[in-house]
């Protein structure tokens, strides 16, 4: 949701900063959620390996994000359009995620 709000917030600067802070808070909470998601889904055995497997794609995306964002923003016509596309992808991912099941809880 915060990504969608960033897509439609042209200003003022203080509002953009507030939305950016909210987006950072959400990302911080998701970091905490990821730590519990592993044990909730797969238990505590092999936590380190499973944590690495789960976080590797996200860390790779984080490393490539500044370059990719700049490249895509120029193709899409600007950062508001980029954030709109990202919000749409996040919504689609959330829909797909709801179709997954947790082993043993089906």
């Amino acid at each position: 949701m915060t990504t969608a709000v960033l897509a439609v917030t042209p200003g003022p600067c203080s509002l953009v900063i507030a939305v950016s802070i909210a987006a950072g808070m959400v990302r911080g909470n998701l970091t905490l959620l990821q730590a519990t998601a592993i044990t909730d889904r797969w238990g505590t055995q092999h936590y380190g390996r499973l944590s690495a497997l789960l976080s590797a794609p996200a860390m790779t995306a984080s490393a490539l994000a500044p370059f990719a964002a700049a490249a895509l923003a120029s193709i899409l016509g600007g950062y508001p359009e980029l954030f709109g596309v990202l919000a749409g992808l996040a919504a689609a991912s959330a829909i797909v995620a709801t179709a997954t099941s947790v082993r043993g809880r089906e």
Side-chain angles (χ1 to χ4, degrees):
M1 290 302 296
T2 55
T3 303
V5 174
L6 282 169
V8 297
T9 306
C13 186
S14 58
L15 181 58
V16 174
I17 289 170
V19 172
S20 297
I21 290 170
M25 290 168 47
V26 169
R27 184 167 190 237
N29 285 327
L30 290 175
T31 300
L32 298 173
L33 178 64
Q34 181 180 340
T36 61
I38 295 166
T39 55
D40 286 350
R41 285 184 177 257
W42 302 298
T44 57
Q45 187 177 15
H46 308 295
Y47 177 83
R49 181 177 64 83
L50 294 171
S51 179
L53 289 172
L54 183 63
S55 66
M59 291 299 104
T60 302
S62 294
L64 296 174
F67 167 77
L72 288 172
S74 66
I75 292 169
L76 296 172
Y79 283 97
E81 293 82 3
L82 171 65
F83 281 115
V85 169
L86 291 174
L89 288 171
S93 298
I95 291 167
V96 170
T98 60
T100 65
S101 63
V102 178
R103 285 188 215 170
R105 296 184 191 175
E106 297 158 346

